[in-house]
Short mmCIF file of all heavy atoms in Angstrom, two decimals:
data_model
loop_
_atom_site.label_atom_id
_atom_site.label_comp_id
_atom_site.label_asym_id
_atom_site.label_seq_id
_atom_site.Cartn_x
_atom_site.Cartn_y
_atom_site.Cartn_z
N ASP A 109 -29.71 -25.05 -37.88
CA ASP A 109 -29.74 -26.53 -37.93
C ASP A 109 -29.75 -26.94 -39.39
O ASP A 109 -30.77 -26.75 -40.09
CB ASP A 109 -31.03 -27.02 -37.24
CG ASP A 109 -31.13 -28.52 -37.14
OD1 ASP A 109 -30.33 -29.20 -37.83
OD2 ASP A 109 -31.92 -29.02 -36.35
N LEU A 112 -32.42 -28.86 -41.29
CA LEU A 112 -33.74 -28.24 -41.60
C LEU A 112 -33.68 -27.33 -42.78
O LEU A 112 -34.64 -26.56 -43.06
CB LEU A 112 -34.23 -27.47 -40.34
CG LEU A 112 -34.50 -28.26 -39.08
CD1 LEU A 112 -34.97 -27.33 -37.94
CD2 LEU A 112 -35.52 -29.38 -39.33
N THR A 113 -32.59 -27.37 -43.52
CA THR A 113 -32.44 -26.52 -44.68
C THR A 113 -32.89 -27.25 -45.98
O THR A 113 -32.75 -28.46 -46.09
CB THR A 113 -31.01 -25.97 -44.90
OG1 THR A 113 -30.16 -27.12 -45.11
CG2 THR A 113 -30.55 -25.21 -43.72
N ILE A 114 -33.48 -26.49 -46.88
CA ILE A 114 -33.90 -27.03 -48.19
C ILE A 114 -33.26 -26.12 -49.26
O ILE A 114 -33.23 -24.89 -49.07
CB ILE A 114 -35.42 -26.99 -48.37
CG1 ILE A 114 -36.10 -27.84 -47.29
CG2 ILE A 114 -35.82 -27.54 -49.74
CD1 ILE A 114 -36.66 -27.02 -46.16
N LEU A 142 -47.51 -23.01 -47.00
CA LEU A 142 -46.99 -23.43 -45.73
C LEU A 142 -47.31 -22.47 -44.57
O LEU A 142 -47.37 -22.91 -43.43
CB LEU A 142 -45.45 -23.60 -45.81
CG LEU A 142 -44.94 -24.68 -46.76
CD1 LEU A 142 -43.43 -24.59 -46.86
CD2 LEU A 142 -45.43 -26.05 -46.33
N LEU A 143 -47.56 -21.23 -44.92
CA LEU A 143 -47.84 -20.25 -43.85
C LEU A 143 -49.34 -20.32 -43.55
O LEU A 143 -50.10 -19.47 -43.98
CB LEU A 143 -47.40 -18.86 -44.29
CG LEU A 143 -45.90 -18.74 -44.56
CD1 LEU A 143 -45.58 -17.29 -44.94
CD2 LEU A 143 -45.06 -19.22 -43.42
N ILE A 147 -50.72 -26.02 -39.96
CA ILE A 147 -49.46 -26.65 -39.59
C ILE A 147 -48.63 -25.64 -38.83
O ILE A 147 -48.67 -24.48 -39.09
CB ILE A 147 -48.67 -27.15 -40.84
CG1 ILE A 147 -48.45 -26.04 -41.85
CG2 ILE A 147 -49.34 -28.35 -41.44
CD1 ILE A 147 -47.58 -26.46 -42.97
N GLU A 148 -47.85 -26.13 -37.84
CA GLU A 148 -47.05 -25.23 -37.00
C GLU A 148 -45.71 -24.92 -37.66
O GLU A 148 -45.09 -25.83 -38.24
CB GLU A 148 -46.87 -25.86 -35.65
CG GLU A 148 -48.14 -26.00 -34.78
CD GLU A 148 -47.85 -26.58 -33.44
OE1 GLU A 148 -46.65 -26.82 -33.14
OE2 GLU A 148 -48.82 -26.76 -32.69
N GLY A 149 -45.26 -23.71 -37.50
CA GLY A 149 -43.93 -23.35 -38.01
C GLY A 149 -43.95 -22.63 -39.34
O GLY A 149 -45.07 -22.25 -39.82
N GLY A 150 -42.78 -22.47 -39.91
CA GLY A 150 -42.66 -21.76 -41.18
C GLY A 150 -41.29 -21.91 -41.72
O GLY A 150 -40.61 -22.89 -41.44
N PHE A 151 -40.81 -20.91 -42.42
CA PHE A 151 -39.44 -20.99 -42.96
C PHE A 151 -38.96 -19.56 -43.25
O PHE A 151 -39.72 -18.62 -43.18
CB PHE A 151 -39.45 -21.76 -44.27
CG PHE A 151 -40.29 -21.11 -45.34
CD1 PHE A 151 -39.67 -20.22 -46.25
CD2 PHE A 151 -41.67 -21.29 -45.44
CE1 PHE A 151 -40.41 -19.58 -47.26
CE2 PHE A 151 -42.40 -20.64 -46.43
CZ PHE A 151 -41.81 -19.82 -47.33
N LYS A 152 -37.66 -19.41 -43.51
CA LYS A 152 -37.11 -18.14 -43.92
C LYS A 152 -35.95 -18.38 -44.92
O LYS A 152 -35.30 -19.44 -44.89
CB LYS A 152 -36.60 -17.36 -42.74
CG LYS A 152 -35.45 -18.00 -41.99
CD LYS A 152 -34.97 -17.10 -40.82
CE LYS A 152 -33.84 -17.75 -40.10
NZ LYS A 152 -33.38 -16.83 -38.99
N ILE A 165 -33.41 -22.24 -47.93
CA ILE A 165 -34.44 -21.81 -46.95
C ILE A 165 -34.28 -22.70 -45.71
O ILE A 165 -33.90 -23.86 -45.79
CB ILE A 165 -35.85 -21.83 -47.56
CG1 ILE A 165 -36.24 -23.26 -47.87
CG2 ILE A 165 -35.93 -20.98 -48.72
CD1 ILE A 165 -37.70 -23.37 -48.27
N LEU A 166 -34.57 -22.10 -44.56
CA LEU A 166 -34.51 -22.81 -43.32
C LEU A 166 -35.93 -22.99 -42.73
O LEU A 166 -36.61 -21.99 -42.50
CB LEU A 166 -33.65 -22.05 -42.34
CG LEU A 166 -33.61 -22.58 -40.86
CD1 LEU A 166 -32.84 -23.91 -40.88
CD2 LEU A 166 -32.88 -21.59 -39.94
N ALA A 167 -36.24 -24.25 -42.55
CA ALA A 167 -37.60 -24.50 -41.98
C ALA A 167 -37.49 -24.54 -40.44
O ALA A 167 -36.39 -24.69 -39.90
CB ALA A 167 -38.08 -25.89 -42.40
N THR A 168 -38.61 -24.31 -39.77
CA THR A 168 -38.59 -24.26 -38.31
C THR A 168 -38.79 -25.64 -37.67
O THR A 168 -38.62 -25.77 -36.45
CB THR A 168 -39.75 -23.32 -37.82
OG1 THR A 168 -40.97 -23.78 -38.34
CG2 THR A 168 -39.49 -21.90 -38.24
N SER A 169 -39.09 -26.64 -38.51
CA SER A 169 -39.30 -27.96 -37.94
C SER A 169 -39.08 -29.02 -38.97
O SER A 169 -39.16 -28.77 -40.22
CB SER A 169 -40.70 -28.15 -37.33
OG SER A 169 -41.64 -28.09 -38.37
N THR A 170 -38.88 -30.27 -38.56
CA THR A 170 -38.74 -31.38 -39.50
C THR A 170 -40.07 -31.59 -40.27
O THR A 170 -40.06 -31.94 -41.41
CB THR A 170 -38.41 -32.67 -38.71
OG1 THR A 170 -37.15 -32.48 -38.04
CG2 THR A 170 -38.27 -33.86 -39.70
N ALA A 171 -41.22 -31.30 -39.61
CA ALA A 171 -42.53 -31.49 -40.20
C ALA A 171 -42.63 -30.58 -41.44
O ALA A 171 -43.18 -30.96 -42.46
CB ALA A 171 -43.61 -31.16 -39.23
N ILE A 172 -42.11 -29.33 -41.36
CA ILE A 172 -42.16 -28.42 -42.45
C ILE A 172 -41.32 -28.96 -43.62
O ILE A 172 -41.73 -28.93 -44.78
CB ILE A 172 -41.67 -27.01 -42.08
CG1 ILE A 172 -42.63 -26.33 -41.13
CG2 ILE A 172 -41.44 -26.10 -43.29
CD1 ILE A 172 -43.95 -25.93 -41.73
N VAL A 173 -40.14 -29.48 -43.29
CA VAL A 173 -39.23 -30.03 -44.33
C VAL A 173 -39.91 -31.21 -45.05
O VAL A 173 -39.91 -31.33 -46.28
CB VAL A 173 -37.89 -30.47 -43.75
CG1 VAL A 173 -37.02 -31.11 -44.81
CG2 VAL A 173 -37.18 -29.37 -43.04
N ILE A 176 -42.58 -29.96 -47.42
CA ILE A 176 -42.00 -29.51 -48.66
C ILE A 176 -41.59 -30.69 -49.52
O ILE A 176 -41.77 -30.67 -50.70
CB ILE A 176 -40.80 -28.59 -48.37
CG1 ILE A 176 -41.22 -27.30 -47.65
CG2 ILE A 176 -40.02 -28.27 -49.63
CD1 ILE A 176 -40.11 -26.41 -47.19
#
Side-chain angles (χ1 to χ4, degrees):
D109 184 346
L112 297 180
T113 61
I114 301 99
L142 298 175
L143 302 182
I147 55 175
E148 293 183 2
F151 65 92
K152 64 178 180 179
I165 65 175
L166 175 66
T168 56
S169 67
T170 300
I172 292 290
V173 179
I176 293 174

